[in-house]
Amino acid sequence: MTAAFPADWQVGGAVLIAETFSSLVWRVRRCDGTSAVIKSLKPFDDVADELRGAHYLRWRNGRGTVRLLASEGNDMLLEDAGDMLLARQLDANGDAAATEIAAELMAELFTPAERPFPPELQPLRERYASLFARGNRDRAKDIGSIYVEASTLASTLLDNQRDVRPLHGDLHHDNILQSPRGWLAIDAKGLLGDTAFDAANFFYNPLDRSDLCLDPARIARMAEIFSRRLNLDPRHLLAHAFAWGCLSASWHAEDGNSADEERELAVARAVREVSLSL
């Protein structure tokens, strides 16, 4: 597979290092001898979701995230943060240690930047469109589903957001890398909303560790770490985590992926039980 990039980026030696449903990721050599990464977005329905992330990265300017070195069209030239994922830290040193790292990075991401935040960020309410649609359908059929419960809760949370800031939007163990500059986030979505949302996804990750995600002790420990480091009420955090899981499940339902839908709902129910115990 070959690739062509903007001439003024002066890059060569492209090696494909990853392919996802949304993008091709290349490691390249710059003219000064340093390496960089190019993320080339594929033409798909939610490409705007990825492009908002570029606005977020440019705004952060390397504070807690990889640096966006340049962008053109659907291509982004990015700082090379290496290959050491937070998931490997979890495997080596345990879940609590990985969660502490994630919480520390989030605190960095929530620090103010020198410039106003970009207007292209997506308001958090828009992010919940699929959950609201599913909740409304079930409500219209008089089905008292978990989607009705979660959409009602999400609406309340969004009406009462406590600390609205630019958000990464997709933080999890495979989107945090240990670089020479420290731990950095990659693959941002670029949202605007309550900071509790950025921690919520962690309760559902790693995706291949349902033994962790369904463990009430792990859920409580994760809530304590994030709440302490980010100055969040643990019940508020877990409410966002419950709503997030049902949102993710609604996306899987739209894709016809019943296995992942049920997995997310199972974790959401576990999160709800821990929240009720606080």
Side-chain angles (χ1 to χ4, degrees):
M1 184 179 295
T2 60
F5 305 116
D8 61 351
W9 288 2
Q10 296 182 302
V11 299
V15 176
L16 185 67
I17 58 174
E19 180 174 2
T20 70
F21 76 95
S22 65
S23 61
L24 298 169
V25 183
W26 309 82
R27 180 165 280 125
V28 297
R29 183 67 55 184
R30 305 179 73 193
C31 62
D32 62 2
T34 62
S35 64
V37 167
I38 293 179
K39 183 176 182 179
S40 297
L41 301 178
K42 299 176 181 178
F44 71 111
D45 291 345
D46 292 331
V47 69
D49 207 37
E50 298 287 338
L51 294 175
R52 276 191 299 270
H55 292 293
Y56 175 84
L57 292 178
R58 186 176 291 109
W59 175 74
R60 286 309 301 170
N61 194 29
R63 293 190 62 184
T65 67
V66 292
R67 290 190 174 96
L68 179 67
L69 305 174
S71 64
E72 184 172 315
N74 285 0
D75 291 339
M76 294 176 241
L77 180 65
L78 302 159
E79 171 186 5
D80 187 354
D83 301 306
M84 180 61 72
L85 295 167
L86 184 61
R88 291 172 63 182
Q89 176 74 16
L90 186 157
D91 293 338
N93 296 310
D95 180 65
T99 303
E100 291 281 2
I101 290 168
E104 186 71 22
L105 177 60
M106 281 185 218
E108 173 68 13
L109 293 176
F110 296 152
T111 58
E114 296 177 357
R115 296 176 291 174
F117 62 78
E120 295 86 357
L121 299 179
Q122 182 183 45
L124 197 52
R125 184 174 295 278
E126 293 181 9
R127 197 72 173 171
Y128 273 93
S130 292
L131 176 59
F132 290 141
R134 177 59 185 268
N136 287 337
R137 286 197 300 273
D138 287 358
R139 195 176 289 109
K141 296 176 182 178
D142 200 25
I143 299 173
S145 70
I146 192 172
Y147 291 111
V148 171
E149 177 187 357
S151 63
T152 300
L153 174 62
S155 182
T156 299
L157 291 171
L158 291 166
D159 286 341
N160 298 277
Q161 297 188 69
R162 299 183 180 182
D163 188 13
V164 175
R165 297 174 187 253
L167 305 175
H168 177 283
D170 192 26
L171 285 170
H172 55 74
H173 298 76
D174 289 335
N175 273 351
I176 296 176
L177 289 164
Q178 188 175 32
S179 78
R181 295 199 296 115
W183 291 97
L184 301 175
I186 62 172
D187 290 346
K189 301 301 184 187
L191 312 181
L192 182 68
D194 193 310
T195 53
F197 180 88
D198 254 357
N201 194 14
F202 263 86
F203 291 88
Y204 297 81
N205 280 275
L207 293 176
D208 61 351
R209 293 297 305 273
S210 290
D211 60 316
L212 282 177
C213 298
L214 291 167
D215 180 6
R218 191 259 191 159
I219 294 169
R221 181 177 65 248
M222 185 169 277
E224 187 280 325
I225 292 171
F226 284 134
S227 298
R228 167 172 42 81
R229 186 64 187 85
L230 303 175
N231 195 28
L232 293 169
D233 182 316
R235 289 167 295 186
H236 180 68
L237 172 59
L238 289 172
H240 272 277
F242 174 72
W244 156 256
C246 295
L247 169 62
S248 180
S250 73
W251 289 333
H252 289 306
E254 289 176 348
D255 293 337
N257 187 342
S258 58
D260 284 344
E261 177 191 9
E262 289 305 316
R263 187 264 184 188
E264 300 292 74
L265 292 180
V267 178
R269 293 185 180 100
V271 167
R272 179 178 57 190
E273 290 303 309
V274 173
S275 179
L276 291 172
S277 71
L278 297 180

